[in-house]
Structures are given as C-alpha cells and as structure tokens.
Amino acid sequence: MKIIVTGGAGFIGSNFVYYMLDKHPDYRIVCIDCLTYAGNMSTLAKAMENPRFVFYKTNICDRAGIFAIFEKEHPDVVVNFAAESHVDRSIETPEVFLQTNILGTQVLMDACRKYGIARFHQVSTDEVYGDLPLDRPDLFFTERTPICTSSPYSASKASADLLVHAYYRTYGLPVSISRCSNNYGPYQFPEKLIPLMIANALGEKPLPVYGKGENVRDWLYVEDHCNAIDLILHGGCEGEVYNIGGHNEMRNIDIVKLICAKLDKSEELITYVTDRKGHDLRYAIDPTKIHRELGWLPETRFADGIEKTIRWYLDHTDWWKTIVSGEYRDYYERMYANR
Ligand code: NAD
Ligand code: DAU
C-alpha cells in the first residue's frame, strides 16, 4: 500500500507518518508538504532515513506539481492533513485558510479523480459543528449535528468537508471524513495552548489565558487520533463521517494550572488577556459511531498523555526553541502585545 500524507511535516501529520511506518512495515509513505511556518523538516529527520518514505516540498494548491507527483507515485490512498490550522491566525488573515483548506483539497481530489484512488481521507475537525453551551454537559457533537462555524478556520474546514461530500456524490470519489477534537502530544507547534503554556512556563514568561479561561476543550492524545484514522482507512465506509474524541473535557484554566504544577512554576505567571473573537465555548465529541463500527477507543489517559507530552518538550528544547526564535517571535508579539 502506498499512502500520500499531505501536511506530514506538521504536528498530527508527522505523528501519523511515524505511526504508519511503524505499524505497517510493508507500507510506503509519500509525504507532501510545502513547509509553511508550521512545517518542520527536523520533525521528519528520522523518517527521511527510512527507504519506505519519500518527501516532496510542494504546495497542495499547485495543480501541476500535485498531478506530477500522482503521475510518478500512483498512490493507493491519500490522507489530507495539510491545512492552515490555527484559529487566531485565521482571524488575522483568513485568505490563505480558504486557499489551502478549500482549494488545496479540491486540487488533491481532482488528482485522485484523474489517477484513480482507493480512498481519499479528509482530516477535518470538531470545530465545524460550532460550539456547545457550558451549562449543558449532556450535549455532545454527533455526526448529525448541523454544521455551524465560528471562525474563518472552521468555515474553511467545513467548506472542504462539503466539497469532499460533493465529490463523493457527483463523481463517486471514494472518500471518508474524520472530525477530531483537540489533539496534544509531541511536535505540536508552540502557538497552540498546551505547548505554548509549557514553553512560556519554562521561560518564566506570562501565561496568556483568553477571557476567564472557562472555555472547554475535549483533549485527545495524538497517537489515538492516528490509530482512529488508520482504522477508518481500513474498515471505514465510503462517504461516511466519523467523529473522534475520548470524552476528556477540560477547562483551559485547569490545563494551565496543571502545567504550572507539573513544571513547579508559580500560578502568578497566569495572565488573563482579551478573549478570542467569536471564541467557541465548549467542544465535546460523541464517539459512539467509531467505537461501535470500528472498535476504536482511546488508549492514553490524559494524566499519562500530559506527562509524556511535558517530558517530550523538556527533552526536545532544541526543537521548539529554534521555532520560537524565528518567524514565530514576530507573530507572538503581534498577537499578544496589546491583548
Ligand atoms: P499543523 O499546522 O501543525 O500542520 C499543518 C501542516 O500542513 C504543516 O506541515 C504545513 O507546512 C502544511 N501545509 C500548510 N499549508 C500547506 C499547503 N498549502 N500545501 C502543503 N502543505 C501545507 O496542523 P495540525 O495541528 O497537525 O493539523 C493537521 C490537520 O488536522 C489539519 O487539517 C487540522 O485542521 C486537523 N485537526 C487538527 C486538530 C488539532 O488539535 N491540532 C484537531 C482536529 C483536526
Ligand atoms: O478542536 C479541534 C481544533 O483544536 C483544531 O481543529 C485546530 O486546528 C486546533 O488548533 C485546535 O483549536 P483550538 O482553537 O481549540 O486550539 P488552541 O490551542 O488555539 O486553543 C485551545 C483553547 O485555549 C481555546 O479555548 C483558546 C485558548 N487559548 C489558546 C491560546 C493559544 C488561550 O487561552 N490562550 C492562548 O494563548
């Protein structure tokens, strides 16, 4: 089996590359990534030594470039992780989100149509469902929850999902879609909540909590997400959507306090800043369908996952310190200066 993994130099894509190389010793992985600020070749250093792995630095919006890769590689399956993924950046500059997340997905599906494919899998997000109220813990996102987006990021991901479904209905493209909750783990870019708080706490810098910190996210260790996608590729039905989440809801402020405690840092570092525009209150996935149909269950408890993640950031300071000293520093100053 030959799998094209787009966005494989990013957080979840790289974890998926390593997961699949390890789990399926006969599979070949073709990684396509244009290396935006979020893509990092040092993340893929180990994979580059593997003869079953090949890397193309190509933008998924580059039709000729993508078609040339399909012409050469003839993949069996495509898993599309490539995306602009940060909500705050989408509020600042929406356009590139529409280009990559919608038009890039279209280019990939056009290539799948031309060259033939056993499965095109779109990695989507629970953010397409909007949010749930804080005072209704009985409510969850199911695959039937209406799409109702809040940010340019989630709108672009929802648009891509609709296009994927349209290619299934109109052209019979064999597609599947997964909508996962918040991931955490190794190689996550330090602009996202957990690695940002770890990096700032280690540097004794302020820990910027949006609003009152009461917003709730449903955290899943990244390896459990990779395992779920693997199961969908092998046993999931064409044209179907699968929600992925492990019933692990936590308030942002509790996560930040936990990180302070684990790193033995003072909670006085916590700084409440202006809330995110359109900030979704609560995400919570109902994973009944993927559990019932594919037997998926998360394997990593949050207590263990956060321990492993903090350990990883402590052991890989070079990885994230290089990042926080580059383009990211300008972004950080712009995003947090007057907040
Ligand atoms: P990320 O930002 O860490 O990585 C994205 C990768 O895509 C980077 O390597 C980047 O270089 C690459 N990329 C961006 N634009 C590209 C383009 N035009 N052409 C080729 N490559 C491009 O993102 P992530 O957090 O790993 O998320 C991966 C996918 O999973 C995204 O589609 C995201 O919407 C989805 N998702 C993320 C989470 C989460 O918690 N992080 C949860 C659910 C779903
Ligand atoms: O739910 C899945 C989504 O999870 C993915 O689709 C996105 O790609 C991914 O980025 C993530 O989106 P969030 O907006 O939930 O993640 P983020 O890490 O940016 O923020 C998590 C929560 O923490 C959110 O309520 C905002 C808050 N936050 C975030 C940052 C960066 C803060 O309070 N302070 C911060 O500095």
Side-chain angles (χ1 to χ4, degrees):
M1 166 105 91
K2 191 185 267 189
I3 306 182
I4 283 189
V5 175
T6 68
F11 166 44
I12 310 175
S14 61
N15 277 281
F16 185 74
V17 164
Y18 287 117
Y19 181 90
M20 294 301 273
L21 286 172
D22 190 44
K23 171 111 181 267
H24 302 285
D26 51 336
Y27 284 14
R28 306 184 82 79
I29 305 285
V30 176
C31 177
I32 301 178
D33 197 303
C34 71
L35 301 178
T36 66
Y37 77 93
N40 194 332
M41 275 320 277
S42 73
T43 302
L44 288 174
K46 268 224 173 76
M48 294 296 277
E49 292 166 9
N50 191 318
R52 293 184 289 117
F53 179 83
V54 55
F55 180 82
Y56 290 92
K57 183 178 181 308
T58 303
N59 192 314
I60 59 167
C61 301
D62 170 5
R63 186 168 286 268
I66 292 296
F67 277 48
I69 296 171
F70 275 69
E71 176 91 44
K72 184 162 177 226
E73 298 287 352
H74 288 287
D76 302 297
V77 167
V78 174
V79 184
N80 183 26
F81 290 94
E84 288 293 337
S85 69
H86 193 35
V87 173
D88 292 324
R89 289 189 192 245
S90 84
I91 294 166
E92 210 188 21
T93 45
E95 194 164 332
V96 67
F97 284 73
L98 309 193
Q99 277 159 1
T100 288
N101 299 1
I102 308 173
L103 298 178
T105 302
Q106 185 210 352
V107 168
L108 290 171
M109 289 194 295
D110 284 343
C112 290
R113 282 182 63 210
K114 176 159 185 202
Y115 294 98
I117 199 89
R119 179 67 64 85
F120 175 84
H121 183 76
Q122 175 70 0
V123 180
S124 186
T125 166
D126 61 357
E127 295 201 18
V128 301
Y129 299 124
D131 62 356
L132 296 164
L134 291 175
D135 60 356
R136 289 290 309 273
D138 55 314
L139 296 181
F140 297 93
F141 295 139
T142 74
E143 289 80 0
R144 295 185 163 275
T145 302
I147 286 187
C148 178
T149 55
S150 310
S151 70
Y153 162 69
S154 55
S156 69
K157 293 295 288 185
S159 305
D161 285 11
L162 295 178
L163 200 60
V164 171
H165 189 253
Y167 270 56
Y168 168 67
R169 281 291 297 265
T170 306
Y171 306 116
L173 195 72
V175 305
S176 48
I177 296 175
S178 53
R179 295 181 179 149
C180 191
S181 59
N182 287 63
N183 284 213
Y184 68 102
Y187 298 118
Q188 185 166 31
F189 196 88
E191 67 190 348
K192 305 283 168 65
L193 181 77
I194 288 181
L196 183 149
M197 295 300 166
I198 297 172
N200 280 18
L202 287 172
E204 303 281 344
K205 296 193 181 123
L207 307 177
V209 171
Y210 298 168
K212 293 182 183 158
E214 286 170 352
N215 303 59
V216 170
R217 296 293 183 264
D218 185 358
W219 295 94
L220 185 74
Y221 192 62
V222 62
E223 209 172 278
D224 282 320
H225 187 182
C226 297
N227 171 238
I229 294 173
D230 188 22
L231 289 176
I232 295 168
L233 294 181
H234 291 94
C237 292
E238 281 177 20
E240 288 293 313
V241 173
Y242 295 89
N243 282 357
I244 308 171
H247 282 304
N248 184 59
E249 292 176 51
M250 292 185 72
R251 297 190 314 164
N252 296 336
I253 188 65
D254 297 328
I255 298 253
V256 178
K257 286 184 176 170
L258 181 69
I259 290 171
C260 288
K262 295 265 177 211
L263 291 173
D264 200 18
K265 300 291 178 187
S266 164
E267 285 185 10
E268 282 177 15
L269 289 173
I270 295 174
T271 312
Y272 291 93
V273 301
T274 309
D275 210 350
R276 175 184 277 174
K277 290 190 176 81
H279 198 172
D280 282 334
L281 293 172
R282 171 177 166 247
Y283 301 149
I285 284 276
D286 175 354
T288 305
K289 178 175 173 179
I290 190 166
H291 174 55
R292 199 183 46 225
E293 293 185 14
L294 302 176
W296 178 85
L297 277 177
E299 286 175 9
T300 305
R301 292 182 321 130
F302 187 76
D304 301 328
I306 195 72
E307 196 78 44
K308 279 203 270 187
T309 303
I310 291 175
R311 186 75 260 153
W312 189 89
Y313 281 89
L314 285 169
D315 291 344
H316 295 80
T317 44
D318 283 359
W319 183 87
W320 59 266
K321 280 203 169 151
T322 313
I323 290 172
V324 297
S325 63
E327 181 269 358
Y328 177 69
R329 197 170 50 195
D330 301 336
Y331 160 81
Y332 194 88
E333 274 159 22
R334 247 186 5 257
M335 185 60 67
Y336 292 92
N338 301 312
R339 208 157 183 153

